[in-house]
Amino acid sequence: MIDRKLLRENPDLIKEALKKRNYLTDIIDEILSLEQQTRNLKKEIESLRSAKNKISREIARIRKINGDVEPLMETARSLDENLAKLEKVLPEVENKLNEKWLYLPNIPHKSCPIGSSASDNLVVRTWGKLREFSFTPKAHWDIGEDLEILDFKRAGEISGSRFAIYKNEGAELERALISFFLSENKKKGYQEILPPTLVKEDAMYVSAHLPKFRDEMYYACEDQLFLIPTAETVLANLFRDEIIDESDLPLYFMAYTSCFRREAGSYGKDVRGIVRVHQFNKVELFKFTKPEESYDELEKMVHDVEDLLKLLELPYRIVLLCTGDMGFAASKTYDIEVWVPGLERWLEASSCSNTESFQTRRAKTRMRRRDGKIEYPHALNGSGLATPRVFISILENFQQEDGSVVIPEVLRPYMGGKDVILRRKKN
């Protein structure tokens, strides 16, 4: 949530930020108009209450001397009627105002490239040599089915499209990746959280997944709970309505969860394999930091993710997103993309963002400076890592001509020392 004081004092700054993000600026004028209406209504209500109190005192005085209070009573009834009308209108206007506020995206950081789409993103650096094959590399869905470690047919029969069953070494590899991510991130100082995967509606508002992305969410109507699209939803709420001492910052957290996304509006995109699925596993990284340290902490988070991919020996690149391609809550975002030779493309495996005080304002998570001053800390989030695209990259980069897949060395201890996934022998 953007600072309301900033909007009132410098609406042109917010309008310029919206233009950079390809948003219409009309919403700013609507918000300012609603704010003015709110102020006017509160002023009128206060004036009517003051007039009513004054008349009540006058009625009491006249009654003491047995005077005629009917004219004043009529005025009092008129005041009550007008007051009741305004007191009914005020919350309606305030609700409209709050709703408009919640649809305002964050302000892009000045270092973000200005652009409208992914083509305007900036590749910051690339790591690893792209493997040259002596054979035509296969896509992960063919590799997975040939090795009997991925089953799309049965998953489709059970759950529908965009689901997969991991089995045999596929299930082991998935579990190994999760354990590896958690173990390595722990070395960097991230505290492990195992959160619920169902949350209340207000938690979704804090993380800014609501109201804008309601169509993307799975919702349990009877219990009024949402399945989380990412553990960020829970971690952003850890200190809701609390005050953190400056001396306790920065705070690092990580959480492994399954994540659930309806992928509404993405019909026809990446329908094969596990590039874009409704359910996937992810280790989420999250930080609460002092405002003056948040952008250094963002760079550290990106390097933490890079270290994981280096250990896995997977080629990757770091992409700084342009203003028109960033997520709703982000002020600055880096995507970390892995190379997948079977599909001959880069796939986003992680997205690391600084949301500044956008989420902490919604959560009313505050920090107390050493001098006693209260302000909002900054919140950062990133995937460290999501498993599907890393799983894909391993299968496609480490595939062999005989159809087998070599297991990255760092994962072998998590797979009982196994170093290769072979075709299963037919009985």
Side-chain angles (χ1 to χ4, degrees):
M1 182 181 292
I2 295 173
D3 184 355
R4 296 197 179 201
K5 182 180 178 183
L6 177 63
L7 177 58
R8 285 193 294 269
E9 294 179 351
N10 198 343
D12 290 337
L13 174 68
I14 309 301
K15 285 185 178 182
E16 188 60 33
L18 288 182
K19 288 177 183 177
K20 290 178 181 178
R21 300 198 63 151
N22 297 324
Y23 277 72
L24 297 175
T25 60
D26 296 356
I27 190 172
I28 301 300
D29 295 324
E30 291 174 23
I31 287 172
L32 292 173
S33 174
L34 288 167
E35 279 209 322
Q36 187 61 52
Q37 288 180 51
T38 301
R39 286 194 293 271
N40 291 342
L41 283 167
K42 287 180 177 179
K43 188 175 180 180
E44 286 183 64
I45 288 171
E46 185 60 34
S47 177
L48 287 172
R49 284 174 178 167
S50 177
K52 182 182 174 183
N53 290 336
K54 185 177 180 181
I55 286 180
S56 295
R57 289 193 296 270
E58 184 64 12
I59 289 173
R61 185 188 69 79
I62 292 175
R63 276 178 173 163
K64 284 182 180 179
I65 59 175
N66 296 319
D68 183 10
V69 297
E70 188 53 37
L72 289 175
M73 290 291 292
E74 183 62 32
T75 301
R77 283 191 288 270
S78 177
L79 287 173
D80 282 337
E81 288 176 7
N82 290 334
L83 189 59
K85 289 177 183 178
L86 293 181
E87 287 177 336
K88 182 180 179 181
V89 171
L90 177 61
E92 293 174 356
V93 175
E94 286 180 324
N95 287 339
K96 287 181 182 178
L97 174 60
N98 291 332
E99 184 179 350
K100 293 292 182 182
W101 266 108
L102 292 172
Y103 276 100
L104 269 183
N106 207 347
I107 300 172
H109 189 261
K110 61 184 179 181
S111 63
C112 297
I114 298 172
S116 58
S117 65
S119 61
D120 298 310
N121 294 339
L122 178 65
V123 177
V124 176
R125 58 184 173 272
T126 302
W127 183 91
K129 185 179 179 182
L130 303 189
R131 179 183 168 188
E132 295 181 2
F133 290 83
S134 59
F135 58 94
T136 302
K138 295 179 179 178
H140 67 280
W141 52 77
D142 289 328
I143 300 169
E145 290 180 330
D146 288 346
L147 294 174
E148 297 182 51
I149 60 174
L150 290 174
D151 191 333
F152 300 107
K153 182 176 180 294
R154 288 187 176 89
E157 291 170 350
I158 295 167
S159 301
S161 63
R162 301 197 184 192
F163 288 93
I165 290 175
Y166 295 71
K167 60 183 185 180
N168 302 317
E169 290 90 344
E172 289 181 58
L173 179 58
E174 180 77 358
R175 179 161 40 87
L177 283 170
I178 295 165
S179 298
F180 168 68
F181 296 156
L182 290 170
S183 296
E184 291 300 316
N185 289 326
K186 184 177 180 181
K187 295 176 185 177
K188 302 293 178 69
Y190 292 91
Q191 302 176 51
E192 185 172 356
I193 301 288
L194 187 61
T197 53
L198 286 163
V199 298
K200 297 177 181 178
E201 186 172 27
D202 55 358
M204 299 288 282
Y205 276 96
V206 164
S207 64
H209 288 93
L210 288 181
K212 184 175 175 59
F213 303 105
R214 187 177 291 272
D215 290 345
E216 291 290 323
M217 308 303 154
Y218 284 105
Y219 182 58
C221 300
E222 187 171 338
D223 300 295
Q224 297 183 334
L225 294 172
F226 286 84
L227 281 164
I228 61 170
T230 166
E232 173 196 345
T233 302
V234 182
L235 298 176
N237 282 270
L238 281 182
F239 297 97
R240 189 167 66 187
D241 296 316
E242 295 184 36
I243 299 176
I244 306 169
D245 284 332
E246 178 185 3
S247 59
D248 291 331
L249 295 173
L251 289 168
Y252 290 16
F253 297 99
M254 63 177 174
Y256 153 65
T257 64
S258 288
C259 304
F260 306 89
R261 299 181 185 180
R262 293 186 58 239
E263 295 291 352
S266 62
Y267 180 78
K269 296 179 181 178
D270 299 315
V271 293
R272 292 196 69 181
I274 56 172
V275 175
R276 193 183 296 271
V277 287
H278 293 306
Q279 177 184 340
F280 61 94
N281 295 313
K282 178 157 68 95
V283 174
E284 181 74 0
L285 306 178
F286 202 93
K287 296 182 179 184
F288 292 98
T289 76
K290 302 173 196 175
E292 64 271 21
E293 296 176 353
S294 66
Y295 281 97
D296 287 338
E297 289 291 347
L298 176 61
E299 299 297 327
K300 288 180 184 178
M301 180 180 282
V302 172
H303 286 301
D304 290 342
V305 175
E306 287 186 82
D307 287 344
L308 296 174
L309 294 174
K310 285 177 181 176
L311 288 170
L312 290 168
E313 301 178 77
L314 295 174
Y316 68 84
R317 68 181 188 179
I318 308 299
V319 180
L320 176 60
L321 299 194
C322 70
T323 53
D325 199 34
M326 287 195 305
F328 179 81
S331 282
K332 185 175 182 177
T333 298
Y334 290 102
D335 276 0
I336 297 92
E337 300 176 342
V338 289
W339 175 250
V340 287
L343 301 181
E344 296 185 288
R345 58 190 280 207
W346 296 95
L347 288 179
E348 176 199 329
S350 174
S351 188
C352 296
S353 299
N354 187 352
T355 68
E356 296 192 356
S357 60
F358 194 81
Q359 291 177 326
T360 53
R361 284 181 187 278
R362 289 182 175 221
K364 296 180 182 176
T365 298
R366 290 142 293 162
M367 59 174 282
R368 180 182 287 107
R369 293 286 191 180
R370 289 179 174 86
D371 62 4
K373 182 182 177 183
I374 301 296
E375 58 185 280
Y376 292 99
H378 284 187
L380 297 81
N381 65 82
S383 306
L385 285 153
T387 60
R389 275 82 183 276
V390 176
F391 192 102
I392 291 169
S393 189
I394 289 172
L395 293 192
E396 297 194 8
N397 279 288
F398 288 91
Q399 63 180 298
Q400 306 301 304
E401 192 167 6
D402 64 0
S404 64
V405 172
V406 174
I407 297 168
E409 189 172 347
V410 290
L411 294 180
R412 294 171 190 175
Y414 298 94
M415 296 187 68
K418 192 173 297 182
D419 60 1
V420 65
I421 303 174
L422 301 168
R423 278 200 174 101
R424 309 186 79 77
K425 293 181 179 179
K426 302 294 183 182
N427 293 328

